[in-house]
Amino acid sequence: MEKRVTFSRWSIGILFAVPQLLLIFTFFYWPAGQAVYWSLTLQQPWGGGNIWVGLDNFRSILANADYWNSITASLVFAACSTGLAMVIALVLAALTDRQLAGSRLYRVVLIWPYGIAAPALAMAFRFILAPEAGFMAVVNQVWPGFWDPGLDGTDAMASIIAAFSWKYVGYNFIFFLAAFQAIPRSLIEAAAMDGSGVLRRFWDIQFPLITPTIFFLLVINITESFQDSFGIVDIMTAGGPANSTNLMVYKIYSDGFKGLDYSGAAAQSIILMLLIIVLTIFQFRFIERRVHYR
Amino acid sequence: MASITIRDVRKSYAKMQVVHGVNLDIASGEFVVILGPSGCGKSTLLRMIAGLEEISGGTIAIDGKVVNTLEPRERGCAMVFQNYALYPHMSVAQNIGYSLKVAGVPVAERAQRIQAVARILELEHLLDRKPMALSGGQRQRVAMGRAMIREPKVFLFDEPLSNLDAKLRVQMRSEIRKLHRRLSATSVFVTHDQVEAMTLADRLVVMNGGRVEQVGTPAEVYSRPASRFVATFVGAPAMNMLEGEVTLDGLSLLGGSRKLNVSRAGLPVGSKIAVGIRPEAVRLVAPGTPGALDATVDLVEELGAGRVIYVDLDGAAFSVVTSETAHPAPGSAVGLQFSEADLHFFSSETGSRLDVFKASMPVPAL
Ligand SMILES: Nc1ncnc2c1ncn2[C@@H]1O[C@H](COP(=O)(O)OP(=O)(O)O)[C@@H](O)[C@H]1O
Ligand SMILES: [Mg+2]
């Protein structure tokens, strides 16, 4: 039996919850409420109060082709970086799980990227992927003009996807490896006795048993790719070239603080929040069903 | 059906050797039980036969073919694991049929064979359940079914009954026995439970510290243990052991306080030996009876059908099993009588059995 703490008086229970509630209120509900309020008003750039405009901000944003372009870019970024980060981490973890010698070292080494601040990481990748000097310069030598994220939108998108994935591969790897290690060895051995080879065992036994972890990481990776991408975009591409990497989170910043369109930025952040909420609900409703919780 | 030939098989983990040169021949269709205390290397040996553990030295052959480098699936063995190792995300039917699915057996035939196995194991009504929703005994049956459906040449069992309660264990024991009679596939069964071992085995292999101590039928192992270890490990309560020394006119026991008139038959005077006597072979007589050893009762353990009487023999613990209802009270004096034919002698140095004392002798005298 699990032991649960019970309080004889509800007021004591509330008292314990107060610090957490205060934190959530101060740092989430209050700012979110403010953003909702701003998104429904027109802020004067030079101060002087705001005017209630209803849904006008949303209408003008959604009527703007630039914004739809930004949504598309964000979705492409989310899909590619999540896919890449998860598949690479899954493969590395599966290989590590089989050959455990030195796995403690991998664990430490692979969690480091997650600890690096996004701008620092982006700076490093900017050098690595620079068309004239970095690693890609070699490729450019063979096929001149093949790689130039400064001019080519696709190359720029690939650059930020690479940087973001690199950061999350380590994070995902730790979780995947833990999930693989939690599978009793005897299950794998039983499957081996049943005639199942390495790949077959992976698909029939290990993969289904780590689906809870896959699901968890999917939710985290997608959510983070919408939010944690800001620093990388800012340093590596600043949204360019030609808005090709102007992700939603970056557009909020550039429209709000560079374009001084506070109300439009507030409306955009509400849309981004709703999009993440909808995506998360979708994942829980439709993907979680296929998860085998043990 | 297949024979298994094990030749000088060794296993080392890193620097530590845990199996030291095991030799064993298992005949086709035989039910062999490997018995030994925890950590003696039984599982390791079994897993080397299965192909789950690399063989560090020596060879294992199945049906005359050396399998050292073969994958588990190429060896034709099926294994039942101690924790059952059922696939938690698959139903009972999928668990049982997994090997057939891997082998590409058509769905219809697969279903039919799953049904057949489920009927034998009385699992038909559970086929759609997940392992989580099964009792220990049912899980055990599913694990057996998963092994059976492949119609393997060799069945390997690694303590499959140790997670069951006492009653279920006895029941599953007889079912395994029946199943073996029915399928008559070569079986190797590992256990640390000597009752399980004695009841199941055609032939018993007693292991200790990575070595085989004795191979024989349960009756042979019980009546002629090859070493001191086997003598005390097989049989409950354990065989009594008294330390002794060879003297000119026989044996002096317990540091000289007791004497036994037996011929030395070639053993040098002064050599240290151990004398064993099974608790079941001792008769309780009135204290002071000629030819009996006097002792004091310490404790009486009631077993229902019989009693274990623990006595103190000059400071050495000694036990007696009696079926008589009237038994001496703790603290009272008793005489212990036994015939020389029931005595076992072991070298104190090597622990191996000494048969030199089997000369005809009168009952032990004081
Ligand atoms: N993977 C391993 N690495 C190192 N030592 C091991 C490993 N597996 C088993 N051993 C050691 O080998 C010995 C025999 O183990 P095992 O065959 O499991 O014993 P048992 O007779 O209880 O089944 C034990 O001392 C155990 O500690
Ligand atoms: Mg074991």
Side-chain angles (χ1 to χ4, degrees):
Chain A
M1 276 297 281
E2 198 182 339
K3 242 190 173 158
R4 282 177 198 280
V5 180
T6 52
F7 298 106
S8 50
R9 285 176 44 196
W10 66 271
S11 49
I12 298 178
I14 290 289
L15 225 75
F16 276 106
V18 159
Q20 184 67 19
L21 287 176
L22 269 179
L23 277 176
I24 292 179
F25 181 80
T26 321
F27 292 104
F28 180 72
Y29 285 105
W30 186 51
Q34 282 288 320
V36 171
Y37 172 66
W38 287 332
S39 70
L40 299 173
T41 62
L42 196 60
Q43 287 268 346
Q44 315 283 14
W46 321 112
N50 34 14
I51 313 151
W52 183 264
V53 292
L55 293 174
D56 276 1
N57 287 325
F58 290 93
R59 272 188 214 106
S60 70
I61 289 166
L62 294 177
N64 189 337
D66 269 359
Y67 193 65
W68 287 103
N69 171 46
S70 172
I71 292 181
T72 314
S74 291
L75 291 177
V76 168
F77 176 78
C80 293
S81 56
T82 299
L84 207 58
M86 286 186 63
V87 168
I88 293 175
L90 184 68
V91 170
L92 286 178
L95 294 176
T96 309
D97 180 52
R98 279 180 59 72
Q99 287 293 328
L100 264 181
S103 76
R104 231 176 303 164
L105 181 72
Y106 301 151
R107 257 185 258 195
V108 174
V109 169
L110 281 164
I111 195 71
W112 281 343
Y114 186 66
I116 296 175
L121 155 69
M123 208 51 155
F125 265 86
R126 216 176 130 165
F127 285 117
I128 294 168
L129 297 179
E132 65 281 354
F135 158 73
M136 290 308 281
V138 181
V139 180
N140 271 342
Q141 196 118 46
V142 183
W143 294 290
F146 174 80
W147 179 259
D148 192 355
L151 292 176
D152 188 315
T154 315
D155 292 357
M157 180 60 94
S159 305
I160 58 171
I161 288 173
F164 184 89
S165 307
W166 185 75
K167 177 170 177 176
Y168 276 83
V169 161
Y171 179 82
N172 294 345
F173 172 84
I174 302 298
F175 280 89
F176 278 136
L177 184 60
F180 279 128
Q181 303 261 290
I183 298 174
R185 206 95 304 240
S186 60
L187 285 187
I188 312 290
E189 290 173 349
M193 296 297 297
D194 272 345
S196 193
V198 174
L199 284 180
R200 186 84 200 242
R201 288 201 296 265
F202 183 79
W203 286 118
D204 287 350
I205 312 294
Q206 289 168 296
F207 192 82
L209 292 177
I210 62 161
T211 45
T213 302
I214 294 177
F215 177 68
F216 163 76
L217 288 177
L218 191 67
V219 173
I220 296 288
N221 275 244
I222 288 181
T223 310
E224 289 300 307
S225 70
F226 278 103
Q227 296 177 347
D228 196 28
S229 45
F230 175 81
I232 291 173
V233 173
D234 191 39
I235 300 288
M236 289 184 75
T237 65
N243 283 338
S244 58
T245 57
N246 201 2
L247 304 186
M248 291 166 83
V249 68
Y250 192 72
K251 192 167 160 59
I252 291 171
Y253 159 79
S254 55
D255 286 5
F257 295 98
K258 287 194 176 149
L260 297 185
D261 176 10
Y262 297 133
S263 308
Q268 285 182 36
S269 43
I270 299 303
I271 295 174
L272 178 57
M273 190 169 82
L274 289 178
L275 183 67
I276 293 175
I277 290 174
V278 167
L279 275 174
T280 309
I281 290 175
F282 172 83
Q283 294 175 76
F284 271 94
R285 286 286 308 267
F286 296 101
I287 301 180
E288 199 195 16
R289 280 192 198 159
R290 318 193 56 146
V291 170
H292 300 280
Y293 288 111
R294 261 180 286 178
Chain B
M1 298 247 280
S3 62
I4 304 173
T5 315
I6 299 173
R7 284 286 165 268
D8 198 32
V9 160
R10 292 156 195 280
K11 176 72 192 180
S12 310
Y13 289 110
K15 286 180 211 87
M16 199 179 50
Q17 189 164 6
V18 296
V19 174
H20 309 269
V22 166
N23 285 291
L24 190 60
D25 287 290
I26 299 172
S28 191
E30 200 175 19
F31 199 113
V32 165
V33 175
I34 301 177
L35 172 68
S38 186
C40 73
K42 324 179 279 296
S43 297
T44 306
L45 181 60
L46 192 77
R47 292 162 56 81
M48 285 194 283
I49 300 175
L52 296 173
E53 208 78 68
E54 217 160 296
I55 301 167
S56 311
T59 57
I60 293 179
I62 297 177
D63 257 348
K65 185 178 173 226
V66 174
V67 295
N68 281 35
T69 55
L70 294 189
E71 289 286 314
R73 60 184 150 159
E74 297 162 318
R75 300 193 184 189
C77 304
M79 185 154 165
V80 180
F81 292 81
Q82 176 169 2
N83 62 1
Y84 316 135
L86 300 180
Y87 312 126
H89 56 296
M90 297 187 194
S91 69
V92 168
Q94 287 170 324
N95 262 282
I96 295 177
Y98 182 63
S99 59
L100 300 186
K101 188 176 167 193
V102 171
V105 174
V107 179
E109 187 194 337
R110 216 191 298 162
Q112 182 205 330
R113 279 171 70 178
I114 292 171
Q115 276 297 332
V117 167
R119 200 168 313 124
I120 297 173
L121 294 171
E122 291 163 31
L123 287 169
E124 286 160 298
H125 59 297
L126 302 173
L127 283 177
D128 294 327
R129 290 218 198 149
K130 291 275 172 71
M132 274 283 278
L134 299 179
S135 71
Q138 290 165 338
R139 285 179 203 183
Q140 172 62 53
R141 261 181 246 270
V142 176
M144 300 272 299
R146 196 170 60 179
M148 273 167 59
I149 198 161
R150 296 175 44 205
E151 296 167 3
K153 291 194 285 186
V154 176
F155 273 106
L156 304 172
F157 300 88
D158 192 358
E159 310 213 16
L161 305 183
S162 49
N163 288 354
L164 300 178
D165 61 56
K167 195 175 162 201
L168 210 51
R169 204 178 308 165
V170 174
Q171 188 190 335
M172 283 310 294
R173 207 158 72 197
S174 63
E175 283 190 30
I176 289 179
R177 196 63 235 194
K178 265 189 256 166
L179 214 67
H180 177 252
R181 214 171 300 139
R182 177 179 180 143
L183 306 171
S184 59
T186 312
S187 304
V188 185
F189 187 107
V190 159
T191 181
H192 66 267
D193 180 335
Q194 48 129 344
V195 179
E196 208 167 280
M198 298 289 275
T199 49
L200 280 172
D202 288 335
R203 225 149 42 103
L204 205 54
V205 177
V206 187
M207 276 186 77
N208 183 34
R211 289 191 173 79
V212 171
E213 294 264 341
Q214 186 170 11
V215 181
T217 65
E220 275 165 16
V221 171
Y222 177 83
S223 58
R224 281 180 55 82
S227 68
R228 184 176 176 160
F229 169 81
V230 177
T232 47
F233 192 74
V234 174
M239 182 187 280
N240 298 298
M241 280 292 166
L242 300 174
E243 300 300 331
E245 196 178 322
V246 178
T247 58
L248 276 172
D249 54 349
L251 277 174
S252 104
L253 291 181
L254 298 164
S257 69
R258 309 293 174 120
K259 286 206 162 41
L260 224 50
N261 284 329
V262 291
S263 90
R264 319 188 259 113
L267 275 186
V269 170
S271 36
K272 306 252 186 271
I273 64 159
V275 180
I277 172 90
R278 293 231 176 256
E280 310 77 292
V282 183
R283 287 180 304 281
L284 290 179
V285 293
T289 306
L293 298 174
D294 282 348
T296 319
V297 176
D298 262 344
L299 182 74
V300 178
E301 236 176 44
E302 182 66 48
L303 298 179
R307 276 135 287 284
V308 186
I309 299 171
Y310 295 93
V311 301
D312 178 292
L313 190 67
D314 296 348
F318 200 92
S319 56
V320 180
V321 172
T322 170
S323 55
E324 281 160 43
T325 17
H327 55 76
S332 59
V334 287
L336 310 174
Q337 197 177 49
F338 37 82
S339 54
E340 180 163 350
D342 290 327
L343 295 180
H344 305 262
F345 300 97
F346 304 97
S347 155
S348 280
E349 283 131 48
T350 64
S352 59
R353 183 182 187 85
L354 302 170
D355 278 327
V356 287
F357 282 91
K358 277 292 175 195
S360 68
M361 272 293 126
V363 276
L366 288 179

